[in-house]
Amino acid sequence: MRTALAIFTIFQLFCAIAPADEPAADGWKFYAIRDEIAPKSGVVFDKAGAYRLTLSGNGNESVDGRWFKRVPVTEGKFVVFNARYNAANVSTPTRCILASIVWLDEKGQQVEQAEFPFTVPTAESDGSKRVTSTYQVPPKTTQAELRLRLRWAPNGQVQWRDIELKETPPPAPRKVKVASINHRPRNTKSPQANLEQFSKLIDEAGAQKADIICLPEGTTVCGTGLAYAQVAQSIPGPASEFLGQCAARNKAWIVAGLYEREGKSIYNTSVLLSREGKLAGKYRKVCLPREEIDDGLTPGHEYPVFDTDFGRIGMMICWDISYPEVARELSARGAEMIFMPIWGGNETLAKARAIENQIYLISSGYNFPTAIYDKSGDAIAKSPESTSIIYANIDLNQRLLWPWLGDWRSRIWLEGPARAEPN
């Protein structure tokens, strides 16, 4: 497989590179806040005349510079920004390679907060990364300054291409009806007896047209008096297949906590069943409390996310809430909602995870509130202590703009601590 650096080399063999001191293509100009930290810049043209804007580090870890261009816009209209880039030798591209939009009035003065279009977590088929977001042009805005930047990557190389800001129809709402079940089985005799109780509540939520239904942690052990090893099953297996039948019957996604056996290992696992009743994925609890460790459970080590028909979601379980890394990794992979089967824990930490990642967090618990937390950390739905089902209608396209911060979610990866990014 070709490395990113090899792709750069091969591409440049067939292209002419315009010197940095010549006017750039299509009105683009180069700028660095200080000459001593400026990256090398250039424009690469292919045989068809298409261009790529290049930036490369100069061996200085403080390197920071950008291409910029101003384009006319109309206040109140919706616009979509798109760009793609290929990069090499950048260990944290989400932090070091970024695009931004600065809204300007007719005098060239900034209005409102700058926007930072999202980098799509998954690469394009050609290995490039896409940066995209849709915005409504703020009042008094007559032009937008587009900025394409490389920073803090001493040996990094990036080529920007296919850059556009164009009008687009207003985005349609992306609505999802979320349900979370508050129920604690007591004095039951088997995992199946527990699942039968939960199935009735799933049917009730399905009758209310819930799109996705969250169940608590350890649905097959709570109230049975059995040990983890006694209830653990393979996944897929009888428990997940039963829940799949519930999902298919109600045409709803289901998240549920189970105990999984694989070979000699037992995991505390959350499963995701699709509307068709298929096993769409699973997450193995990464952060185990000492009680589970002492009972022989094995921790997971992956942070999978899953694309549904309404958006990208992640799952975590109980003790995961005590550490910021799990929710952060899921959010970094594009999760817009995190579903959390939980036994007990600190509700303040749940609110913090929602706020610091700017995601919706849905919990289903026993000694923890069954609740739906929004991006502000507020519980927009919360159950009483008795058996009940809570609901919330959420529009995943609705933005939260914070005073002085703007769209905080788009800034998290740009301004927070550097994190290792998967290749």
Side-chain angles (χ1 to χ4, degrees):
M1 181 179 293
R2 293 172 176 169
T3 65
L5 184 58
I7 293 172
F8 268 93
T9 303
I10 292 170
F11 184 84
Q12 291 180 358
L13 286 174
F14 293 94
C15 302
I17 301 178
D21 56 354
E22 291 186 5
D26 201 21
W28 289 96
K29 299 179 181 179
F30 173 75
Y31 172 81
I33 193 169
R34 301 197 314 273
D35 288 343
E36 64 182 339
I37 61 172
K40 297 177 182 178
S41 63
V43 184
V44 178
F45 295 89
D46 65 19
K47 294 180 179 179
Y51 66 88
R52 299 190 184 199
L53 304 174
T54 71
L55 296 168
S56 58
N58 56 10
N60 185 343
E61 67 176 355
S62 298
V63 66
D64 190 351
R66 62 179 179 255
W67 288 102
F68 74 96
K69 173 184 176 180
R70 292 185 179 181
V71 296
V73 292
T74 303
E75 65 175 289
K77 295 289 187 178
F78 283 85
V79 292
V80 59
F81 174 88
N82 282 299
R84 291 197 293 169
Y85 72 80
N86 290 84
N89 299 327
V90 182
S91 59
T92 56
T94 304
R95 190 169 187 250
C96 297
I97 301 171
L98 60 146
S100 59
I101 303 172
V102 180
W103 307 111
L104 304 173
D105 63 17
E106 60 184 7
K107 296 181 179 180
Q109 300 297 309
Q110 182 173 346
V111 297
E112 301 296 340
Q113 295 286 334
E115 300 285 7
F116 298 88
F118 285 102
T119 300
V120 178
T122 52
E124 302 284 280
S125 59
D126 63 357
S128 65
K129 282 293 191 76
R130 185 164 62 94
V131 182
T132 183
S133 286
T134 298
Y135 306 103
Q136 186 172 22
V137 179
K140 301 181 181 179
T141 301
T142 62
Q143 53 187 333
E145 183 170 291
L146 313 181
R147 299 176 178 178
L148 307 172
R149 191 169 180 178
L150 173 69
R151 62 185 185 185
W152 310 335
N155 299 307
Q157 298 177 330
V158 62
Q159 292 184 350
W160 289 96
R161 60 190 171 98
D162 304 333
I163 310 140
E164 63 176 4
L165 183 74
K166 63 180 183 180
E167 287 191 10
T168 189
R174 194 154 46 96
K175 293 184 178 180
V176 52
K177 185 170 185 177
V178 176
S180 191
I181 291 174
N182 190 74
H183 176 66
R184 182 174 195 144
R186 298 181 186 275
N187 302 317
T188 52
K189 301 299 182 182
S190 68
Q192 186 60 33
N194 283 12
L195 293 175
E196 293 287 352
Q197 291 184 13
F198 282 111
S199 71
K200 295 177 183 178
L201 296 165
I202 292 170
D203 289 344
E204 183 178 336
Q208 296 300 314
K209 305 300 182 183
D211 291 298
I212 186 165
I213 305 165
C214 188
L215 276 61
E217 180 183 20
T219 57
T220 52
V221 79
C222 182
T224 65
L226 300 173
Y228 300 137
Q230 291 175 293
V231 303
Q233 302 177 3
S234 62
I235 296 176
S240 64
E241 290 173 2
F242 178 86
L243 290 170
Q245 293 170 8
C246 295
R249 183 167 67 245
N250 291 283
K251 296 181 175 59
W253 296 83
I254 291 178
V255 172
L258 302 173
Y259 290 95
E260 176 190 7
R261 175 180 285 279
E262 184 177 80
K264 297 179 180 180
S265 299
I266 296 176
Y267 301 94
N268 188 337
T269 299
S270 180
V271 295
L272 176 66
L273 290 312
S274 72
R275 294 184 193 269
E276 296 75 34
K278 304 296 184 181
L279 179 66
K282 63 184 178 182
Y283 162 77
R284 291 170 171 171
K285 187 175 179 180
V286 169
C287 302
L288 297 183
R290 60 192 177 198
E291 294 82 2
E292 289 185 331
I293 296 170
D294 291 345
D295 281 336
L297 267 62
T298 300
H301 54 84
E302 296 180 341
Y303 305 94
V305 293
F306 307 96
D307 290 320
T308 70
D309 48 66
F310 51 80
R312 179 169 288 186
I313 69 170
M315 298 180 284
M316 61 186 194
I317 303 171
C318 197
W319 196 236
D320 289 331
I321 198 66
S322 301
Y323 305 91
E325 290 84 358
V326 180
R328 178 54 50 96
E329 289 300 320
L330 295 172
S331 181
R333 288 162 170 76
E336 302 169 279
M337 313 176 80
I338 296 177
F339 291 82
M340 183 177 67
I342 184 169
W343 205 292
N346 188 322
E347 185 182 10
T348 300
L349 294 177
K351 296 178 179 181
R353 300 295 91 88
I355 295 169
E356 68 196 10
N357 293 292
Q358 290 297 277
I359 48 88
Y360 292 91
L361 179 64
I362 297 88
S363 63
S364 175
Y366 303 126
N367 301 329
F368 186 93
T370 294
I372 301 171
Y373 303 94
D374 65 11
K375 299 176 187 178
S376 299
D378 296 326
I380 55 178
K382 200 169 189 177
S383 73
E385 293 185 2
S386 58
T387 294
S388 57
I389 307 172
I390 59 172
Y391 302 92
N393 290 298
I394 294 171
D395 179 3
L396 290 174
N397 273 345
Q398 184 173 3
R399 303 177 73 204
L400 174 61
L401 300 179
W402 290 77
W404 308 108
L405 296 178
D407 186 347
W408 186 4
R409 179 173 169 83
S410 70
R411 296 174 59 171
I412 291 171
W413 321 110
L414 311 180
E415 300 169 22
R419 55 175 288 278
E421 297 185 35
N423 294 324

